């Protein structure tokens, strides 16, 4: 599944769908900067690899949500930069 991100403005008729988070974020920032409008974005789906990495990292924010033995995570590097939990 490809990334599918809808960016929509409630203050005007701007609405666009993007195939990447980067493109959507750039458009959102540009529109907010140029119009002072506040936009919403909706992520319809991410590629399987991104979803797996998020699941492994435990990005849901719940304690013990991630997979500590995942090959996708470098826990030592996170600890050395202050990003890991003790």
């Amino acid at each position: 599944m490809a990334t599918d991100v809808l960016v929509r403005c409630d203050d005007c008729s701007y609405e666009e769908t993007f195939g990447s988070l980067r493109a959507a974020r750039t458009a959102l920032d540009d529109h907010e900067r140029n119009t002072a409008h506040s936009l919403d974005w909706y992520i319809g789906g991410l590629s399987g690899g991104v979803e797996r990495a998020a699941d492994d990292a435990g990005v849901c924010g719940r304690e013990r949500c991630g997979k500590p033995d995942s090959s996708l995570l470098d826990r030592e590097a996170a600890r050395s930069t202050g990003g890991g939990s003790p």
Side-chain angles (χ1 to χ4, degrees), residues 9-85:
C9 181
D10 291 331
D11 296 325
C12 70
S13 61
Y14 179 75
E15 180 175 305
E16 194 167 351
T17 301
F18 297 90
S20 75
L21 293 172
R22 179 185 295 234
R25 184 67 206 190
T26 299
L28 185 147
D29 288 343
D30 288 347
H31 188 80
E32 286 182 340
R33 185 176 40 260
N34 294 331
T35 65
H37 294 168
S38 181
L39 284 86
D40 285 321
W41 60 342
Y42 307 91
I43 302 172
L46 299 170
S47 68
V50 172
E51 289 183 355
R52 178 177 166 223
D55 288 344
D56 283 6
V59 297
C60 69
R62 293 184 308 222
E63 188 72 25
R64 297 187 181 96
C65 180
K67 296 179 182 171
D69 60 342
S70 172
S71 62
L72 297 175
L73 304 177
D74 186 350
R75 301 263 185 222
E76 287 304 313
R79 279 197 257 313
S80 69
T81 61
S85 55

